[in-house]
Amino acid sequence: MKLKKRLLSIMMAGVITASAIFATGCGSNEAASSENGEKADKGEITVYTALEDEQVSTYLAEFNKKYPDIKVNVVRESTGIITAKLLAEKDNPQADIVWGTAASSMMVLDNQGGLKEYAPEGVDRILPEFKSDKEVPTWVGIDAWETAITVNTVEAEKLGLPEIKSYKDLLDPAFKGHIVMSNPNSSGTGFLTVSAILQLMGEEDGWKYLEDLDKNIAQYTHSGSKPAKMAASGECAVGISFGYAGLSQKKDGAPVEVVFPEEGSGWDLEANALINKKEINPAAYTFLDWAISDDAMELYKVNYPIITTDNVGTYEGYENDPIDQLIDNDFSWAAENRTSILDEWMKKFDAKSEPEE
């Protein structure tokens, strides 16, 4: 528990310093007044999200059971694309809400005034380490996700690949052309992994490691979950992705094992927010209220063992306390150096990125 508190306090020190992310919510069946305006149980809203497609459909099915008269138009993209889109639209926002998008990535939008303060119903249940410390929060977290390596055991045996326990094991020449990883410019998972390596090893040694790793990389994908899916289908032997992506493939019967590197996993927080617009859609408050309700948290807990209330989840595939796997993530450093990290990565490694769709 001491380690948990230490990690969370480190995270918040960084997030708050950089002035962070979003706000979420919990629903009302009748139109009701809030400190920010009127809530509604009817209407149409546009939601930007980086949650996985299958998660979005499952979560929204539950939301629609409670609020059948609120139409939710979803724009689902990888974290980097969602962030770029929100920044480009800052002066003419198209979205009403951001839902489940990386906290570290969204600090920039908050700093530019793109988020509106809102305290969703039930926000007091969210641990203080996982929400904005402003009197009325600009963001509220829902869960955390972390770097994991998905290995296709059939392909690995066929190719005679050595066992993977650590990041450094991935440098073995036997893996040349057999590893897929996500591009940090478009994927939040890619960025949290690159950031973790630079923090764990130091910037000089970290970039040297990434250069050596690049020799074994077949492709950099634009989606954080795609490397795990490619490993599951046998398109590659090893996918550097995140825990849920690999474990869900294993649960569906794919011949994979999920490895959490012994040095520790990079991680980030999925968070929600109200977009700062001249006119706030009343149904947006209702959605954000629901999105941190007990019902919503139970849904998140199916996929992520680390949620933002005390009622943490469990998930098959994590041998130890998931909190212990997380590195001491300096979110402030990551936010301040994000642009330079991404620019450097692009110069060095973008040649192996998959084509833009």
Side-chain angles (χ1 to χ4, degrees):
M1 203 44 136
K2 264 172 136 180
L3 179 56
K4 177 176 180 179
K5 287 180 180 175
R6 181 166 59 87
L7 287 174
L8 297 183
S9 65
I10 288 168
M11 175 190 168
M12 272 315 284
V15 173
I16 293 167
T17 299
S19 164
I21 302 151
F22 317 89
T24 6
C26 176
S28 153
N29 285 319
E30 302 295 332
S33 70
S34 79
E35 59 200 79
N36 294 306
E38 294 294 319
K39 298 180 186 179
D41 60 0
K42 296 180 181 179
E44 183 172 346
I45 56 174
T46 297
V47 175
Y48 285 8
T49 183
L51 293 168
E52 295 299 304
D53 288 325
E54 61 270 24
Q55 294 170 349
V56 171
S57 58
T58 299
Y59 300 164
L60 284 184
E62 292 302 311
F63 174 78
N64 288 329
K65 285 180 185 178
K66 191 167 186 179
Y67 299 102
D69 295 324
I70 296 179
K71 181 181 179 182
V72 182
N73 300 313
V74 174
V75 176
R76 193 274 161 193
E77 293 285 359
S78 296
T79 300
I81 296 173
I82 286 291
T83 305
K85 190 171 175 64
L86 286 165
L87 288 169
E89 296 173 357
K90 187 176 68 68
D91 295 331
N92 184 28
Q94 303 301 302
D96 296 299
I97 295 165
V98 180
W99 178 36
T101 301
S104 61
S105 177
M106 299 305 296
M107 292 176 186
V108 179
L109 186 66
D110 196 15
N111 283 339
Q112 294 186 20
L115 304 180
K116 183 174 178 62
E117 294 179 343
Y118 177 58
E121 290 181 16
V123 73
D124 290 346
R125 295 161 30 263
I126 305 300
L127 297 170
E129 297 89 351
F130 287 131
K131 60 189 175 186
S132 162
D133 70 339
K134 295 177 181 177
E135 186 174 353
V136 180
T138 50
W139 61 272
V140 179
I142 55 177
D143 56 55
W145 86 108
E146 71 296 282
T147 301
I149 301 163
T150 302
V151 181
N152 185 306
T153 54
V154 173
E155 291 298 312
E157 183 177 358
K158 188 191 304 181
L159 295 165
L161 299 178
E163 183 180 9
I164 298 170
K165 292 184 178 181
S166 69
Y167 294 114
K168 290 185 178 179
D169 290 337
L170 296 171
L171 301 185
D172 191 308
F175 289 108
K176 186 171 184 178
H178 299 305
I179 300 174
V180 171
M181 177 180 170
S182 51
N183 181 328
N185 283 272
S186 53
S187 162
T189 300
F191 182 75
L192 67 83
T193 299
V194 169
S195 173
I197 287 167
L198 296 175
Q199 291 183 59
L200 285 166
M201 301 180 187
E203 291 188 60
E204 184 175 347
D205 289 344
W207 282 115
K208 176 63 168 62
Y209 170 86
L210 291 169
E211 289 169 4
D212 291 339
L213 178 64
D214 182 67
K215 297 172 185 175
N216 290 343
I217 295 288
Q219 187 181 59
Y220 296 104
T221 66
H222 293 299
S223 161
S225 61
K226 190 171 181 178
K229 294 174 181 177
M230 290 177 69
S233 66
E235 294 177 72
C236 66
V238 179
I240 303 174
S241 185
F242 59 97
Y244 165 78
L247 292 170
S248 64
Q249 296 297 318
K250 183 176 181 178
K251 186 178 179 181
D252 289 343
V256 298
E257 291 296 333
V258 179
V259 178
F260 294 94
E262 61 187 13
E263 300 97 331
S265 293
W267 60 292
D268 209 331
L269 181 69
E270 290 188 317
N272 310 334
L274 185 65
I275 295 297
N276 191 8
K277 304 173 77 169
K278 288 182 180 178
E279 294 186 13
I280 302 298
N281 188 325
Y285 295 125
T286 303
F287 186 92
L288 287 173
D289 285 352
W290 172 85
I292 61 162
S293 66
D294 289 341
D295 289 344
M297 285 295 172
E298 286 300 311
L299 295 172
Y300 305 145
K301 200 162 59 173
V302 171
N303 300 321
Y304 299 102
I306 305 169
I307 58 173
T308 57
T309 65
D310 276 324
N311 185 22
V312 296
T314 58
Y315 199 80
E316 186 178 347
Y318 292 84
E319 294 181 3
N320 303 307
D321 184 343
I323 290 287
D324 292 341
Q325 179 61 28
L326 307 181
I327 69 164
D328 291 353
N329 202 348
D330 187 339
F331 277 71
S332 178
W333 177 86
E336 290 169 6
N337 292 279
R338 181 181 178 82
T339 300
S340 60
I341 289 170
L342 295 179
D343 287 348
E344 184 70 10
W345 190 94
M346 286 287 283
K347 282 192 293 185
K348 290 178 178 291
F349 310 122
D350 191 48
K352 288 186 179 180
S353 290
E354 68 177 335
E356 297 278 0
E357 294 183 357

